[in-house]
Amino acid sequence: MSRPPQVDLVGGLSTLFPPDQLLFGAAAARGYDCDAYTVDKSKPSAIVLPKTTAEVVAVVKWCNQNKIPFTARGAGTGLSGGALAALGGVIVSTKKLNQILCVDLPNRRLKAQTGAVNKKLTDTVKHLGLHFAPDPSSQSVSTLGGNIGENAGGPHTLKYGVTYPHILGVTMVMPNGEVVEFGGGAPGAPGIDFLGVIVGSEGTLGIVTEAWVNLTPLPEAVETALVAFSEIRQATQTVADIIAAGAIPAALEMMDHGILKAVKAAFGFEYPDGTQALLLIECDGNPENARKEIEIVRAICEKNGALDIRLAENETERAKLWHVRKKGVGAMGRLAPCIVTHDGVIPRSKLPQMLEKVYEIAAKHNLGVANLFHAGDGNLHPCFYFDDRDPKQVEHVVEAGEEIIKLCIDLGGSVSGEHGIGVEKADLMHLMFTPEDLEMQAKVKAVFNDGELCNPCKILPNQKSCVEHKKRWRGMAW
Amino acid sequence: MVGHNQLVGHDVDDQVVVAQSGMTLSALNEALAPTGQCIPYLPHDPALMESTLGGLISVNLPHFLEAPCGTWRNWVIGMTILQANGVVAKTGSKAVKSVAGYDVYKLMIGARGAFGVITEVILRTYPVRALPSFEPISLPAARTIQRVLAADFELLIEDLPDPVFDRATSTLFSTDEPKKRFGGDWVMRADSLPTLGPVTDLMIRTKDQFDAERRLNPGVMGVF
């Protein structure tokens, strides 16, 4: 299937959706032509906004009948192009699929439609002393469905895990329009763990419309410290020492001078002269253990020559310390018109040598770089800032990203820590996996999706009829 | 697979270990102990500590440290699989956090060998220092394991003379057939196969993909 037959797309979809749930035309297409990975763009033919699972079924069945590809999209904050429309495709937006359906307190779980914003889940149960643990930095806008699609991480995965352990069940519309429910009863049931492959499948196995999620008690006590170092090595050594001490901090984040420059420009945030790296460390639990753990952390920081250790005395101060971390990437807008946040993961012990290499690669390509790390997980986010109106710079950013990923894999890591493969990294999968490995992955996909309509051409390289899609996606810079 | 029982490698600072699937859990924990690390699996039958990693992972029985420490689904981060067609392939990696395609190893956990033979497994270890203190309970003769939703747990165990249970996961280990059933519960029985849910078609499709000729563990799970 290379080009969809001439179909009256808008006419057909208008029989299924009222005007406030159907978008088309140049302006709408422009609004949905990329997610937060802005290097690749692809204009959809139409965007539908279903409110119920039944409406999702209707559009999926219609797309099957008319051979139109479709791609689910949450808030569009994805960083690997997973929400890019296929050639001639329809975007199925979950923004109106946003209801909290059930709060089941005795069983510490909540059921929501997948267009619900991540933070809204926590806000619904916060007053009850509970929260939805996965907290990607995008959580104030990203949706539960997007989090499921990407098996989203965030600063607290070190202690609380990624999204997968918190998903107890899903309702999914299969690529052929059937509805299947997975899980939903007592967790850990015998049988096959289909949830394990659905979470992180980047919308390629179907469209998840509802999910049961686990609610985690909010910790009794939280201790947060922001620590400044004059040398990066001191910071990375501190991370290693904390883990070696047997502590399991709730969060262990690192930022380098590039991020500091940006947050100073954006928020006037002050830090001691000569600071080259900041560590944001959080310990939680019962008040006694949290205090004990943060004291261990403080001692390690001092041993490694910390310039400054700021401990939050209350919630307001804690929020201020986190502000630096959560807004760090956005603040880079002060430094250049465009940023690309790369994503790689390596064994934690390799962090120091990886960071040195990142600076070398940036210098080689004449790009500015700022680094944010989930240091406890070895998950690095080199953020290149540049002007995307200059195609040469875009090319350098993509090349630099590939060099970084190659290095991550050589050091024993992975091609993606949390942003997923999408379109960005499909052609890099071979660096990590042999053809036999990828063939085995393709078997999993075929169990759910053996057609070419449901979010095609993502994740796995060399899928048939994908060359045309690729030409369209990479039309932007060259 | 019992002869295939070597430790392949242990990255101490990264808390990641690679072992052949024939290694027993007790041998692995013995090898990890000098570094203060472990795999925190505490089964109801102590003899299970002498089972192989491949076996334990393939059956994935509930255990008593599940609530504080997790399960095989939390600790397994990669595998080498010998497929039914003879092709060896890898899934996952040593990265503790990774979103890189379809995690085939997740389908293998608890799949009772239906889809492939696990030959090697990559595990993240747990710090011994962080283990909760516990009173070991054992019921080697357990024939059923039942788990209910938390709200039903007290009703489940009331009137039972001397129940063996894990309150944190609402799990009951028993020598008898379950006396009470609840909505949303599940039951595993030692002498018969797990009851199947409505996803049978997908299980069969998975079997068709991985073992079309039905060479592996025929009859397993009552479906294949």
mmCIF file of all heavy atoms in Angstrom, chain A residues 144-172:
data_model
loop_
_atom_site.group_PDB
_atom_site.id
_atom_site.type_symbol
_atom_site.label_atom_id
_atom_site.label_comp_id
_atom_site.label_asym_id
_atom_site.label_seq_id
_atom_site.Cartn_x
_atom_site.Cartn_y
_atom_site.Cartn_z
ATOM 1 N N LEU A 144 -2.084 10.241 30.194
ATOM 2 C CA LEU A 144 -1.891 8.869 30.644
ATOM 3 C C LEU A 144 -1.597 7.964 29.444
ATOM 4 O O LEU A 144 -0.707 7.117 29.496
ATOM 5 C CB LEU A 144 -3.157 8.395 31.374
ATOM 6 C CG LEU A 144 -3.200 6.939 31.804
ATOM 7 C CD1 LEU A 144 -2.040 6.594 32.721
ATOM 8 C CD2 LEU A 144 -4.533 6.646 32.503
ATOM 9 N N GLY A 145 -2.320 8.166 28.351
ATOM 10 C CA GLY A 145 -2.105 7.341 27.159
ATOM 11 C C GLY A 145 -0.707 7.494 26.591
ATOM 12 O O GLY A 145 -0.073 6.518 26.194
ATOM 13 N N GLY A 146 -0.238 8.743 26.574
ATOM 14 C CA GLY A 146 1.122 8.981 26.096
ATOM 15 C C GLY A 146 2.139 8.335 27.023
ATOM 16 O O GLY A 146 3.127 7.744 26.576
ATOM 17 N N ASN A 147 1.891 8.459 28.315
ATOM 18 C CA ASN A 147 2.794 7.841 29.293
ATOM 19 C C ASN A 147 2.836 6.322 29.095
ATOM 20 O O ASN A 147 3.895 5.706 29.211
ATOM 21 C CB ASN A 147 2.349 8.141 30.729
ATOM 22 C CG ASN A 147 2.399 9.619 31.101
ATOM 23 O OD1 ASN A 147 1.776 10.034 32.066
ATOM 24 N ND2 ASN A 147 3.129 10.429 30.340
ATOM 25 N N ILE A 148 1.665 5.734 28.821
ATOM 26 C CA ILE A 148 1.611 4.290 28.592
ATOM 27 C C ILE A 148 2.349 3.944 27.307
ATOM 28 O O ILE A 148 3.134 3.006 27.246
ATOM 29 C CB ILE A 148 0.146 3.797 28.546
ATOM 30 C CG1 ILE A 148 -0.463 3.843 29.951
ATOM 31 C CG2 ILE A 148 0.034 2.398 27.953
ATOM 32 C CD1 ILE A 148 -1.967 3.584 29.995
ATOM 33 N N GLY A 149 2.099 4.720 26.267
ATOM 34 C CA GLY A 149 2.729 4.438 24.969
ATOM 35 C C GLY A 149 4.243 4.447 25.036
ATOM 36 O O GLY A 149 4.914 3.661 24.387
ATOM 37 N N GLU A 150 4.787 5.354 25.821
ATOM 38 C CA GLU A 150 6.239 5.497 25.887
ATOM 39 C C GLU A 150 6.846 4.849 27.123
ATOM 40 O O GLU A 150 8.053 4.929 27.322
ATOM 41 C CB GLU A 150 6.616 6.990 25.872
ATOM 42 C CG GLU A 150 6.140 7.747 24.644
ATOM 43 C CD GLU A 150 6.761 7.265 23.352
ATOM 44 O OE1 GLU A 150 7.901 6.770 23.385
ATOM 45 O OE2 GLU A 150 6.104 7.359 22.299
ATOM 46 N N ASN A 151 6.009 4.198 27.960
ATOM 47 C CA ASN A 151 6.502 3.699 29.244
ATOM 48 C C ASN A 151 7.326 4.805 29.921
ATOM 49 O O ASN A 151 8.495 4.636 30.269
ATOM 50 C CB ASN A 151 7.357 2.439 29.068
ATOM 51 C CG ASN A 151 7.550 1.692 30.374
ATOM 52 O OD1 ASN A 151 6.903 1.999 31.385
ATOM 53 N ND2 ASN A 151 8.465 0.747 30.380
ATOM 54 N N ALA A 152 6.641 5.944 30.108
ATOM 55 C CA ALA A 152 7.315 7.163 30.533
ATOM 56 C C ALA A 152 8.088 6.999 31.833
ATOM 57 O O ALA A 152 7.673 6.285 32.733
ATOM 58 C CB ALA A 152 6.285 8.283 30.677
ATOM 59 N N GLY A 153 9.187 7.699 31.903
ATOM 60 C CA GLY A 153 10.020 7.723 33.097
ATOM 61 C C GLY A 153 9.835 9.025 33.841
ATOM 62 O O GLY A 153 8.733 9.467 34.061
ATOM 63 N N GLY A 154 10.903 9.662 34.207
ATOM 64 C CA GLY A 154 10.831 10.881 34.999
ATOM 65 C C GLY A 154 11.814 10.779 36.148
ATOM 66 O O GLY A 154 12.458 9.758 36.341
ATOM 67 N N PRO A 155 11.943 11.850 36.932
ATOM 68 C CA PRO A 155 12.955 11.886 37.989
ATOM 69 C C PRO A 155 12.763 10.844 39.090
ATOM 70 O O PRO A 155 13.730 10.477 39.736
ATOM 71 C CB PRO A 155 12.829 13.299 38.575
ATOM 72 C CG PRO A 155 11.973 14.064 37.649
ATOM 73 C CD PRO A 155 11.229 13.124 36.780
ATOM 74 N N HIS A 156 11.552 10.359 39.317
ATOM 75 C CA HIS A 156 11.360 9.468 40.460
ATOM 76 C C HIS A 156 11.380 7.984 40.114
ATOM 77 O O HIS A 156 11.022 7.155 40.925
ATOM 78 C CB HIS A 156 10.059 9.829 41.194
ATOM 79 C CG HIS A 156 10.179 11.081 41.998
ATOM 80 N ND1 HIS A 156 9.860 12.326 41.503
ATOM 81 C CD2 HIS A 156 10.624 11.292 43.258
ATOM 82 C CE1 HIS A 156 10.103 13.237 42.427
ATOM 83 N NE2 HIS A 156 10.566 12.643 43.505
ATOM 84 N N THR A 157 11.819 7.648 38.917
ATOM 85 C CA THR A 157 11.802 6.237 38.551
ATOM 86 C C THR A 157 12.835 5.436 39.332
ATOM 87 O O THR A 157 12.699 4.224 39.480
ATOM 88 C CB THR A 157 12.082 6.019 37.043
ATOM 89 O OG1 THR A 157 13.386 6.484 36.746
ATOM 90 C CG2 THR A 157 11.077 6.726 36.199
ATOM 91 N N LEU A 158 13.832 6.099 39.856
ATOM 92 C CA LEU A 158 14.875 5.381 40.583
ATOM 93 C C LEU A 158 14.263 4.577 41.720
ATOM 94 O O LEU A 158 14.638 3.437 41.969
ATOM 95 C CB LEU A 158 15.894 6.390 41.123
ATOM 96 C CG LEU A 158 17.126 5.829 41.803
ATOM 97 C CD1 LEU A 158 17.880 4.903 40.886
ATOM 98 C CD2 LEU A 158 18.041 6.972 42.252
ATOM 99 N N LYS A 159 13.312 5.172 42.402
ATOM 100 C CA LYS A 159 12.685 4.476 43.520
ATOM 101 C C LYS A 159 11.325 3.898 43.172
ATOM 102 O O LYS A 159 10.953 2.842 43.656
ATOM 103 C CB LYS A 159 12.527 5.450 44.694
ATOM 104 C CG LYS A 159 11.954 4.799 45.938
ATOM 105 C CD LYS A 159 12.103 5.711 47.141
ATOM 106 C CE LYS A 159 11.534 5.039 48.387
ATOM 107 N NZ LYS A 159 11.695 5.872 49.583
ATOM 108 N N TYR A 160 10.576 4.604 42.327
ATOM 109 C CA TYR A 160 9.184 4.210 42.104
ATOM 110 C C TYR A 160 8.962 3.464 40.797
ATOM 111 O O TYR A 160 7.881 2.954 40.558
ATOM 112 C CB TYR A 160 8.285 5.451 42.176
ATOM 113 C CG TYR A 160 8.192 6.002 43.581
ATOM 114 C CD1 TYR A 160 9.013 7.039 44.013
ATOM 115 C CD2 TYR A 160 7.303 5.453 44.502
ATOM 116 C CE1 TYR A 160 8.949 7.506 45.313
ATOM 117 C CE2 TYR A 160 7.226 5.920 45.802
ATOM 118 C CZ TYR A 160 8.055 6.948 46.200
ATOM 119 O OH TYR A 160 7.978 7.413 47.491
ATOM 120 N N GLY A 161 9.967 3.384 39.943
ATOM 121 C CA GLY A 161 9.800 2.644 38.699
ATOM 122 C C GLY A 161 9.225 3.496 37.585
ATOM 123 O O GLY A 161 8.779 4.618 37.810
ATOM 124 N N VAL A 162 9.215 2.947 36.386
ATOM 125 C CA VAL A 162 8.665 3.643 35.231
ATOM 126 C C VAL A 162 7.151 3.440 35.228
ATOM 127 O O VAL A 162 6.559 3.029 36.218
ATOM 128 C CB VAL A 162 9.324 3.150 33.924
ATOM 129 C CG1 VAL A 162 10.767 3.629 33.846
ATOM 130 C CG2 VAL A 162 9.276 1.636 33.823
ATOM 131 N N THR A 163 6.477 3.722 34.109
ATOM 132 C CA THR A 163 5.021 3.644 34.069
ATOM 133 C C THR A 163 4.514 2.207 34.187
ATOM 134 O O THR A 163 3.523 1.950 34.879
ATOM 135 C CB THR A 163 4.495 4.301 32.773
ATOM 136 O OG1 THR A 163 4.885 5.663 32.763
ATOM 137 C CG2 THR A 163 2.987 4.191 32.669
ATOM 138 N N TYR A 164 5.180 1.254 33.547
ATOM 139 C CA TYR A 164 4.700 -0.126 33.472
ATOM 140 C C TYR A 164 4.274 -0.743 34.807
ATOM 141 O O TYR A 164 3.190 -1.316 34.896
ATOM 142 C CB TYR A 164 5.749 -0.986 32.751
ATOM 143 C CG TYR A 164 5.611 -2.471 32.920
ATOM 144 C CD1 TYR A 164 4.465 -3.137 32.508
ATOM 145 C CD2 TYR A 164 6.636 -3.221 33.487
ATOM 146 C CE1 TYR A 164 4.339 -4.500 32.656
ATOM 147 C CE2 TYR A 164 6.523 -4.586 33.642
ATOM 148 C CZ TYR A 164 5.378 -5.229 33.231
ATOM 149 O OH TYR A 164 5.275 -6.584 33.389
ATOM 150 N N PRO A 165 5.063 -0.642 35.868
ATOM 151 C CA PRO A 165 4.626 -1.268 37.124
ATOM 152 C C PRO A 165 3.359 -0.654 37.710
ATOM 153 O O PRO A 165 2.759 -1.238 38.613
ATOM 154 C CB PRO A 165 5.792 -1.027 38.095
ATOM 155 C CG PRO A 165 6.906 -0.504 37.298
ATOM 156 C CD PRO A 165 6.383 -0.035 35.997
ATOM 157 N N HIS A 166 2.955 0.508 37.216
ATOM 158 C CA HIS A 166 1.788 1.186 37.792
ATOM 159 C C HIS A 166 0.536 1.019 36.955
ATOM 160 O O HIS A 166 -0.499 1.588 37.282
ATOM 161 C CB HIS A 166 2.100 2.677 37.975
ATOM 162 C CG HIS A 166 3.271 2.906 38.884
ATOM 163 N ND1 HIS A 166 3.155 2.887 40.254
ATOM 164 C CD2 HIS A 166 4.580 3.096 38.619
ATOM 165 C CE1 HIS A 166 4.356 3.069 40.794
ATOM 166 N NE2 HIS A 166 5.243 3.200 39.821
ATOM 167 N N ILE A 167 0.615 0.259 35.877
ATOM 168 C CA ILE A 167 -0.559 0.029 35.035
ATOM 169 C C ILE A 167 -1.127 -1.343 35.372
ATOM 170 O O ILE A 167 -0.462 -2.368 35.188
ATOM 171 C CB ILE A 167 -0.189 0.107 33.536
ATOM 172 C CG1 ILE A 167 0.451 1.471 33.214
ATOM 173 C CG2 ILE A 167 -1.439 -0.118 32.677
ATOM 174 C CD1 ILE A 167 -0.426 2.672 33.531
ATOM 175 N N LEU A 168 -2.352 -1.364 35.879
ATOM 176 C CA LEU A 168 -2.959 -2.610 36.344
ATOM 177 C C LEU A 168 -3.863 -3.245 35.300
ATOM 178 O O LEU A 168 -4.219 -4.414 35.396
ATOM 179 C CB LEU A 168 -3.772 -2.335 37.615
ATOM 180 C CG LEU A 168 -2.973 -1.690 38.746
ATOM 181 C CD1 LEU A 168 -3.895 -1.287 39.881
ATOM 182 C CD2 LEU A 168 -1.906 -2.642 39.258
ATOM 183 N N GLY A 169 -4.271 -2.453 34.333
ATOM 184 C CA GLY A 169 -5.157 -2.983 33.313
ATOM 185 C C GLY A 169 -5.421 -1.919 32.264
ATOM 186 O O GLY A 169 -5.301 -0.729 32.552
ATOM 187 N N VAL A 170 -5.736 -2.348 31.055
ATOM 188 C CA VAL A 170 -6.094 -1.386 30.006
ATOM 189 C C VAL A 170 -7.250 -1.912 29.175
ATOM 190 O O VAL A 170 -7.453 -3.120 29.065
ATOM 191 C CB VAL A 170 -4.913 -1.043 29.047
ATOM 192 C CG1 VAL A 170 -3.711 -0.508 29.800
ATOM 193 C CG2 VAL A 170 -4.548 -2.204 28.161
ATOM 194 N N THR A 171 -7.983 -0.971 28.582
ATOM 195 C CA THR A 171 -8.941 -1.289 27.530
ATOM 196 C C THR A 171 -8.302 -0.787 26.255
ATOM 197 O O THR A 171 -7.933 0.391 26.161
ATOM 198 C CB THR A 171 -10.272 -0.550 27.774
ATOM 199 O OG1 THR A 171 -10.779 -0.937 29.049
ATOM 200 C CG2 THR A 171 -11.280 -0.882 26.689
ATOM 201 N N MET A 172 -8.132 -1.676 25.297
ATOM 202 C CA MET A 172 -7.450 -1.276 24.068
ATOM 203 C C MET A 172 -8.297 -1.578 22.848
ATOM 204 O O MET A 172 -8.885 -2.652 22.741
ATOM 205 C CB MET A 172 -6.095 -1.985 23.947
ATOM 206 C CG MET A 172 -5.277 -1.509 22.750
ATOM 207 S SD MET A 172 -3.521 -1.874 22.876
ATOM 208 C CE MET A 172 -3.482 -3.505 22.155
#
